[in-house]
Amino acid sequence: MNSFRSVSSITLICLCWQILGSTASASTSLWGKKLVFMFPKCTWQLQPDVVLPALEELTVCTLLRRTIDSEWTGFDYRAPGGGRMRLGGTSKKLSVWLFEEEHSLTWGLKLNEWYSVCVTWCGHARRLQIYINGSSEYEVSLKPLRNQQLAPNGTLTLGMSHIIMSGEVRPETGKDLLGEIGRFRMWAREWSAEELGGRSCADGDLVRWDLTQWKSNCFPELDNNLQCAWSHYKIKLWTSMVPSTKPGNCSKSLEEVTQNWLQSILPDNISVQDILVSSPSRVCQAVHNSAALSAQQPQELRALSNSTFDTCFRCEFNANVTPAAEVQVVQASILSLLNSTFSYDFLNLTAYPNSISILPVEFPALPNASTEAPTSAFALDTFFRVNLSLSMTGSPTKPEEVIEKWLKEQLELNATMEVLNVIIRENVGRYDCTFHVQEYNINTVAEMIAFIHAALTAKYVNNSIIIQTTEVAIKHIVPANCLEENTSTIYGEYIWPEAFPQENQKMGCNKPKSKRAYRLCKLDIETDTTSWADPDMKNCKQLLTISDLDNITVTTGNAAGVVDMIQDLIDVQLDDSESELSSSELNTVVVKLREVVHICSTTPAVGANIVNIVANMLLSKTDLTPVAGIVLNLTHRMANNMDFPDESVSITAPLMALSLINVNRNTFSGLTFGVSSVSPTLNPEIFVNQNVESEPLPDTNATISLPSELYNYFPPGERNTTRIQFQFYASNELFQDPHTNNATQSSWQLNSFIVSASINNSMVRNLTDRVVVILSHQTAIKPGDKTSCLCDHLTHFAVLLDVSRTSIGEADSQILTVISYLGCGISAIFLGITLLTYLSFEKLRRDYPSKILINLSAALLGLCMLFLLNSWLSSFSNYGLCIATAATLHYFLLASFTWMGLEAVHMYFALVKVFNIYVPSYILKFCAAGWGIPLVIVSLVLAIDKDAYGSAGPIETAGMLKSTDQFCWLQNDVFFYVTVVAFVLLILLCNISVFVVVLIQIRHMKTNKQSTSSPNSLQDLRAVASLTVLLGLTWSMGFFSFGPGKVAMMYLFSIFNTLQGFFVFLFHCLMKENVRKQWKIHLCCGRFRHSDYSDWSHSVTMIGKKNHHVNTDSVASDETSTNRKVSDSSTGSAPNHHQRA
């Protein structure tokens, strides 16, 4: 059934064929013809005005016949700036070159035979296929490229390879085809094997088989062997309407007249569908967009009136020919039928012969603006920029509206121009206006400037209002087109075709198909340049939800698109202040934003979108408290990693403001940042002063001034790229403090906005010239009241193994700090005594347990000392020193646990594997493992990301100055959990296993040993405590420091582990008889001096010179000595377990 649609949303102007050089007609069709490449040389090159867009996929099909054996080229496409595609080969192979990479198949095209060769390519799928006679003969997965896109604006030649020299196409000798080419076509999509196997006669949507698209020095030849039968055609033409008699009224619509015309001239075997006609116009002037007709929207059928006569209109329709006929025959037949004049009532309709386009298409489809790009063959609209000053007498209530109405009345009188982008500013005694004028290219530029000047300088009088122009400046501007753009949205993926300035491009919605999306190629009044406006998708159905973001992998290429998607989703989800995100939705959004800022640097545009997303969540009812830390960290990282060409950039959104300033150490003299926020729904206003201000900037709610002394803290080696970052929050949603929000202290409230300042990779402390922060009270109590609070505290020991990585209360933190530093100080002293004792007395370090104990004590001493000195070293605010401190602390922590693990290994050999085990270089191997493994781990962390080490400390200041001592430690969660938590957990699991096995062994030894001695519980307890300290089992409490018991476990953790060094001294020096004897022998005088040297042999089994095994001794002779032997073997005085060096 024929369908008829009336279209009139945009007034179109008829197209005269004389300037429509790119439209195909039957007279220019190459169907049924071939190009012959013989001597003399014949060249076929794509017309320069046929511009190919950037392509991410394509299909090229052609017919080839070789007549003389030589190296040959089928086609060659070269684009400026990279991107080439070429088909060629020899007698033994066929090759396709894509992005300078050759892909070949051993298929030689025989002489004097026609072959159908098709090449398909898909960039995002990295797939290239070659089809011969409809069958896929070659398929390859391409290497990933940074830019999977074939560059636009290239040159295309047939039958020869070419190069570009001085802007001209020059043939490459020795690669010319000696043969024939037919039906060359190119499409902007990848065709499937089924489509290519069907031997389609559809013409290309990029390059057609038509003379109008090619320039050549020779002529095509007819070939009856190249016939192609097809049924589906798209027909376009321009028609004039001339009254045959005195004009009268017609009851028929233009669509009905066109229908009657086509039905009367076309035979029964040609059916017509989807007729579209433009609105009639008296002026036969070329329009600038061949898709303008389909851009109009349907309206009710209307009757023709007198005003439609002596006009022309454009018509498009789809035709179906049954049965299928040869393309060139159909084109010639329809052209002949349309060339005759048609009389209807008192109208004569005549088609412009050269405007008739009859194209074979893939299938009948409703014309869509998205399938046609603008072409330079059409007459482009003309644009002007106008600046004028005027005076106005009278007292209108809305003078801006009066002026804009006057401008439109003066310039839009004849409907050939339009006033755009009007900006009116009131000045002293006058009004300054700036606007654009779009003219439909009817007159010359000089004529239009003269017309605009005359229209605007004429005196205007309307009752009591008089407008007189005092100054006028008119400039002709030539804005560029908005280029094709691929956008991924929550409504689906859309490829917006190239559009002219101020053209409202349209595309069909993915869902529902019957609706349209619109996007304006907007001309900017400030810069006179064009850019795509945000698409209008209100008619389309949303296809993506926040939960679908979990399925998207963020990459450097799609990061900006992901942020756009998130912003669209947030805008839809939080469409009013009462809406909110669920906890799962909030987590998904925050995680994706964090991935974006971690995977790549951001631009100011992407940064602004992220800030708007956070601001929208702050304005809603969403509870951001669970993710507050993540949000603050991602905005801070985003700002530090943002790339922008200027010295500074500022981003504002409701409730938020960021200002990023790149400063130079040599010229830095201080900096003041101020913010004025008058409403939660309005963007704050930022003030930046390159000097130090001791007083608040005028009309600001928050001011922070940085002294010139700050340059001392700029990161070394980066003095010319140091970035200072200011952040402002007009909401306390991200700064919830349990001390001011719990039920017992509900009267507390934050009475100011939040402001912060930071320097990239720097820690600022102990400034002589103070930072000045001035915050206005939201609820004023007494004018001029100011509160400053300085708070210093050190970091508690539990931070080394805080698996939850979350903060605790201030009071608990200070108590834990005291415990930690006191315990570490005590341990450091007694570990020093232990080391001094074992190193001074040679008899104490003869056995292996003692040597292992010396190494463990050294590692623990290094750990305690580094922890005690950490805050002092970080106070120097030296970035490199902080990394070195954190890395060294990390090393000694890992070394301590490694030696605890080696203690367990040795204990297992000594007390479980009691039979002979030969281990050469026993202690040397232990030392290599004990000190080497931690070194390897720390070195890998430094090599992968040295910035994983850094200083822990808050970055925001909430209503008061807060000075926090820094602590240099692992800041990267991934490295912390892998190199600390996982490593410590592995050691502790092994040590606990050995601990259990050793206790079972002790029990068996006591049970099997017949003795009359009564059990000694005190010695059993000593053995257990000694093993617990030596194996570091108390560190396991760190893995339970989360949930309700977090604080209690942190107290136990800090007490037992900071005193581990003291317990080592207690059990392995003070309570060991042989150590006390050495003290008495060497340190005591008189009657307290011990002189019996022979007793040493009772404490330690004599070392045999030829004993090379881990354990050759039997257990002790009585129950008491058994207990002691087992206990001491694991703690430093075991029977000899010797290995040959």
Side-chain angles (χ1 to χ4, degrees), residues 837-838 841 843-844 850 1019 1022 1064-1082 1084 1088 1090 1092-1100 1120-1121 1124-1125 1127-1128 1131-1134:
T837 298
Y838 276 86
F841 307 136
K843 289 184 178 181
L844 294 179
S850 299
Q1019 288 183 348
R1022 170 193 167 186
V1064 168
F1065 169 80
L1066 179 65
F1067 289 113
H1068 301 281
C1069 281
L1070 192 61
M1071 298 180 67
K1072 286 189 64 173
E1073 182 180 356
N1074 57 336
V1075 175
R1076 292 198 303 271
K1077 285 183 178 181
Q1078 290 298 305
W1079 283 346
K1080 290 179 181 179
I1081 293 170
H1082 298 282
C1084 295
F1088 297 103
H1090 198 289
D1092 187 4
Y1093 286 82
S1094 63
D1095 287 345
W1096 176 256
S1097 61
H1098 301 293
S1099 300
V1100 182
T1120 300
S1121 62
R1124 182 180 303 171
K1125 286 276 187 181
S1127 174
D1128 290 351
T1131 58
S1133 58

Side-chain angles (χ1 to χ4, degrees), residues 40 190 227 336 346-347 472 572 580 599 626 648 752 848 900 931-932 1074 1082 1093:
E190 180 191 32
Q227 305 298 327
S336 176
F346 53 86
L347 290 176
V472 61
V572 172
E580 62 179 322
I599 203 169
S648 64
S752 70
Y848 290 154
M900 293 177 203
W931 299 108
N1074 57 336
H1082 298 282
Y1093 286 82

Side-chain angles (χ1 to χ4, degrees), residues 439-461:
E439 195 266 341
Y440 301 136
N441 200 33
I442 295 177
N443 303 293
T444 65
V445 171
E447 290 172 341
M448 284 308 306
I449 291 177
F451 173 80
I452 295 172
H453 188 276
L456 295 178
T457 54
K459 187 176 182 179
Y460 174 81
V461 179

Side-chain angles (χ1 to χ4, degrees), residues 594-820:
R594 181 170 61 177
E595 290 179 9
V596 168
V597 301
H598 276 75
I599 203 169
C600 63
S601 59
T602 57
T603 63
V606 174
N609 289 341
I610 293 176
V611 170
N612 277 313
I613 292 169
V614 176
N616 287 341
M617 293 191 294
L618 288 172
L619 287 169
S620 69
K621 295 293 185 181
T622 305
D623 181 16
L624 295 178
T625 305
V627 296
I630 301 176
V631 172
L632 291 171
N633 286 334
L634 74 86
T635 56
H636 188 265
R637 185 183 183 101
M638 172 204 73
N640 269 344
N641 295 339
M642 185 179 294
D643 288 333
F644 52 90
D646 301 324
E647 180 182 328
S648 64
V649 64
S650 295
I651 300 173
T652 60
L655 301 179
M656 289 184 64
L658 274 76
S659 188
L660 316 176
I661 304 171
N662 294 331
V663 297
N664 189 309
R665 175 191 177 102
N666 298 325
T667 59
F668 181 74
S669 60
L671 202 59
T672 299
F673 168 79
V675 179
S676 174
S677 178
V678 297
S679 170
T681 59
L682 298 178
N683 290 3
E685 186 175 359
I686 292 177
F687 305 90
V688 177
N689 193 332
Q690 296 287 347
N691 295 301
V692 180
E693 299 287 345
S694 58
E695 297 297 329
L697 295 176
D699 302 322
T700 57
N701 302 103
T703 302
I704 181 169
S705 295
L706 307 180
S708 58
E709 182 193 354
L710 204 65
Y711 73 85
N712 292 322
Y713 297 86
F714 290 172
E718 302 179 21
R719 294 177 180 176
N720 293 327
T721 57
T722 299
R723 177 169 298 173
I724 296 179
Q725 174 188 157
F726 297 102
Q727 291 197 22
F728 169 83
Y729 294 88
S731 168
N732 64 351
E733 187 70 22
L734 298 174
F735 304 91
Q736 297 296 321
D737 187 345
H739 294 285
T740 60
N741 291 327
N742 59 33
T744 60
Q745 294 178 322
S746 58
S747 61
W748 288 88
Q749 65 177 1
L750 185 64
N751 196 29
S752 70
F753 295 138
I754 298 97
V755 65
S756 74
S758 65
I759 302 176
N760 58 322
N761 300 329
S762 294
M763 297 168 292
V764 179
R765 292 169 48 90
N766 302 325
L767 288 170
T768 304
D769 298 329
R770 298 294 182 180
V771 174
V772 179
V773 179
I774 303 172
L775 298 168
S776 299
H777 291 178
Q778 292 178 271
T779 304
I781 301 174
K782 183 188 296 183
D785 277 356
K786 299 177 183 178
T787 302
S788 297
C789 181
L790 302 177
C791 178
D792 294 308
H793 72 273
L794 301 174
T795 304
H796 56 81
F797 195 71
V799 74
L800 296 179
L801 200 61
D802 181 8
V803 295
S804 66
R805 305 284 276 181
T806 56
S807 59
I808 60 175
E810 184 69 23
D812 290 320
S813 180
Q814 292 188 1
I815 296 173
L816 286 170
T817 296
V818 173
I819 293 173
S820 299

Side-chain angles (χ1 to χ4, degrees), residues 802-912:
D802 181 8
V803 295
S804 66
R805 305 284 276 181
T806 56
S807 59
I808 60 175
E810 184 69 23
D812 290 320
S813 180
Q814 292 188 1
I815 296 173
L816 286 170
T817 296
V818 173
I819 293 173
S820 299
Y821 280 81
L822 185 61
C824 282
I826 293 173
S827 288
I829 293 172
F830 285 101
L831 283 170
I833 295 174
T834 302
L835 279 173
L836 186 62
T837 298
Y838 276 86
L839 293 174
S840 299
F841 307 136
E842 188 270 338
K843 289 184 178 181
L844 294 179
R845 60 177 188 274
R846 287 179 178 175
D847 55 355
Y848 290 154
S850 299
K851 293 178 180 179
I852 295 174
L853 181 67
I854 291 173
N855 284 277
L856 174 61
S857 299
L860 288 173
L861 179 61
L863 177 63
C864 291
M865 294 303 297
L866 257 297
F867 183 84
L868 291 171
L869 296 174
N870 194 305
S871 291
W872 175 70
L873 292 172
S874 66
S875 67
F876 290 99
S877 301
N878 187 299
Y879 187 57
L881 179 61
C882 186
I883 291 178
T885 301
T888 308
L889 180 63
H890 188 198
Y891 174 77
F892 277 112
L893 178 66
L894 297 180
S896 298
F897 274 96
T898 305
W899 280 107
M900 293 177 203
L902 293 174
E903 283 278 10
V905 172
H906 176 75
M907 196 180 303
Y908 182 79
F909 284 160
L911 302 176
V912 180

Side-chain angles (χ1 to χ4, degrees), residues 300-337:
E300 296 180 358
L301 296 177
R302 63 195 188 285
L304 296 175
S305 62
N306 298 355
S307 62
T308 63
F309 302 137
D310 292 311
T311 60
C312 60
F313 66 93
R314 183 174 182 180
C315 173
E316 294 184 9
F317 61 92
N318 292 311
N320 189 59
V321 179
T322 307
E326 306 298 336
V327 172
Q328 67 271 23
V329 174
V330 174
Q331 289 175 329
S333 299
I334 294 178
L335 177 64
S336 176
L337 294 170

